[in-house]
Amino acid sequence: MTPPPVTLALSGAAGQIGYALLFRVASGEMFGPDTPVRVRMLEHPDALAAGAGVALELQDVASPLLVDVDVTADPRVAFDGADVAVLVGARPRTAGMERADLLSANAGIFGPQGAALNDVAGAGIQVLVVGNPANTNAMIAAAHAPDVPRERFTALTRLDHNRAVAQVALRAGVSPRDVTRVAVWGNHSPSQYPDLRHARVAGRAALDVVDRDWAEGAFIDSVAQRGRAIIAARGASSVASTATAVIQHSHLRRHGVPDGDWTSAGLVSDGSYGVPEGLVCSFPVTSVAGAWRVVPGLELDAFSRARIDASVAELVAERDAARALGHLDPVARSGARPA
Ligand code: NAD
Ligand code: LMR
């Protein structure tokens, strides 16, 4: 029997990541090879024509999974009844910028979108924020959606997780499939902590396979600075690897993380591991019945504690800057979620 259609709302759908993602959605990679999908493209008014062009191309794929495609600049139209919202629409950084420099440019987008999600999205809405600074933008969106359970708001750190797994596999001379239980903690920024303390490489403790100096130094830097390295090399920020991470994040939530492994995602903190409640922080996670769960009970030694605390301090500073800019103030509403 054909599963019911999934309604995907994608902001920034005419941008680079949107273009890399949508055709893979239409081929069933994100929601499964038999699951029909309705695509709602949300774009800035200046990019509606470009969005309409992407919609024409999507039709030209003649995907049997694509039920319909709409393009709008109104979040309340795009999010109406949506099951999944992927919030990509935001300016990317360019050479010489840190992701936090995007706060003043982008954070204003996410309050109104959070409010619209609160009022019109489907009852089971799941939100993934990609636009940077992703953690703080997700926190802002969640803060404007008081009726949506907090755990439905996530920020993408699967890309950092993949980067970490790939670096370990290269270093150890194994397949990425042999690298498990990597954890990315903190902010999607240079302060993040990719952690190998609990990781396994082909069934052995990762720190018995790769040397500790590398794991505590060059490894962390290479993962945390990967976005910058790509911008320097390509002249533009990562696109295809990001689209892959978005697909994996969604797939792992819906279908679960393989036994014995975990992934990483930015979740609204419930105080786990001493991270202040309400911050959106990357944790090692699994998924149970379609809901993310922080991996419990991991021991954190002094090195890990200090690295996590440093990244959390940056998240606190971003939250305070967002508050000072008014992005946590209530936004104008034009109607409430129907009873
Ligand atoms: P892009 O400039 O190619 O596309 C951005 C799109 O967003 C444009 O089409 C633009 O018109 C649209 N947009 C702008 N304001 C909007 C609004 N208010 N509503 C809807 N759409 C709007 O950029 P890109 O390369 O696709 O990157 C998008 C964002 O993703 C950037 O902020 C980038 O830094 C971020 N990013 C995050 C990760 C991650 O792992 N979290 C990885 C890569 C990129
Ligand atoms: C990335 O990690 O590649 C993205 O967040 C883009 C950036 O600005 O680094």
Side-chain angles (χ1 to χ4, degrees):
M1 207 174 73
T2 307
V6 172
T7 299
L8 168 69
L10 175 64
S11 78
Q16 295 296 307
I17 295 168
Y19 195 71
L21 184 63
L22 279 172
F23 297 87
R24 296 175 68 181
V25 169
S27 68
E29 277 189 68
M30 188 151 163
F31 300 115
D34 303 317
T35 304
V37 58
R38 298 179 190 280
V39 173
R40 304 267 177 71
M41 300 171 57
L42 175 63
E43 256 302 343
H44 190 276
D46 294 347
L48 279 176
V54 175
L56 293 178
E57 276 202 82
L58 261 184
Q59 286 172 349
D60 293 347
V61 171
S63 165
L65 297 179
L66 202 56
V67 179
D68 53 38
V69 189
D70 297 313
V71 189
T72 177
D74 183 348
R76 299 180 72 86
V77 173
F79 297 152
D80 190 15
D83 301 303
V84 175
V86 180
L87 307 185
V88 177
R91 193 186 138 185
R93 69 172 166 153
T94 45
M97 296 172 79
E98 287 302 341
R99 296 185 190 97
D101 297 335
L102 291 173
L103 190 70
S104 56
N106 289 340
I109 295 171
F110 291 85
Q113 290 189 359
L117 284 163
N118 187 73
D119 293 348
V120 302
I125 183 70
Q126 294 280 346
V127 184
L128 172 60
V129 176
V130 178
N132 279 317
N135 299 55
T136 296
N137 290 339
M139 182 203 67
I140 291 168
H144 288 85
D147 302 328
V148 179
R150 307 299 67 201
E151 62 273 16
R152 307 272 192 79
F153 283 88
T154 59
L156 185 72
T157 57
R158 174 72 187 184
L159 177 60
D160 310 281
H161 187 96
N162 283 343
R163 289 168 172 168
V165 167
Q167 289 306 309
V168 173
L170 284 170
R171 181 81 175 184
V174 300
S175 163
R177 88 166 64 83
D178 294 325
V179 180
T180 56
R181 299 194 178 200
V182 166
V184 175
W185 302 87
N187 200 0
H188 173 63
S189 81
S191 75
Q192 69 180 256
Y193 172 43
D195 171 13
L196 299 184
R197 294 292 206 264
H198 308 278
R200 315 283 301 170
V201 176
R204 297 171 61 199
L207 292 182
D208 290 342
V209 178
V210 299
D211 55 292
R212 185 175 284 259
D213 282 354
W214 178 79
E216 293 181 353
F219 162 72
I220 294 177
D221 292 343
S222 71
V223 175
Q225 297 289 348
R226 192 67 160 192
R228 174 191 288 266
I230 288 166
I231 290 168
R234 252 172 53 83
S237 73
S238 59
V239 173
S241 55
T242 307
T244 298
V246 168
I247 288 167
Q248 292 173 341
H249 175 103
S250 177
H251 196 272
L252 290 166
R253 182 191 59 74
R254 287 163 68 88
H255 300 288
V257 178
D259 279 350
D261 198 3
W262 56 60
T263 183
S264 302
L267 302 190
V268 181
S269 176
D270 61 0
S272 293
Y273 293 104
V275 176
E277 273 184 49
L279 293 179
V280 172
C281 179
S282 185
F283 294 98
V285 295
T286 56
S287 155
V288 179
W292 292 113
R293 295 272 185 282
V294 175
V295 175
L298 297 176
E299 280 196 20
L300 300 178
D301 62 13
F303 181 86
S304 294
R305 188 71 259 170
R307 296 297 303 217
I308 294 170
D309 287 350
S311 198
V312 166
E314 184 183 48
L315 287 170
V316 168
E318 286 185 19
R319 178 197 62 196
D320 292 348
R323 186 174 285 142
L325 288 164
H327 295 313
L328 292 172
D329 296 345
V331 297
R333 311 293 277 261
S334 59
R337 178 186 277 278

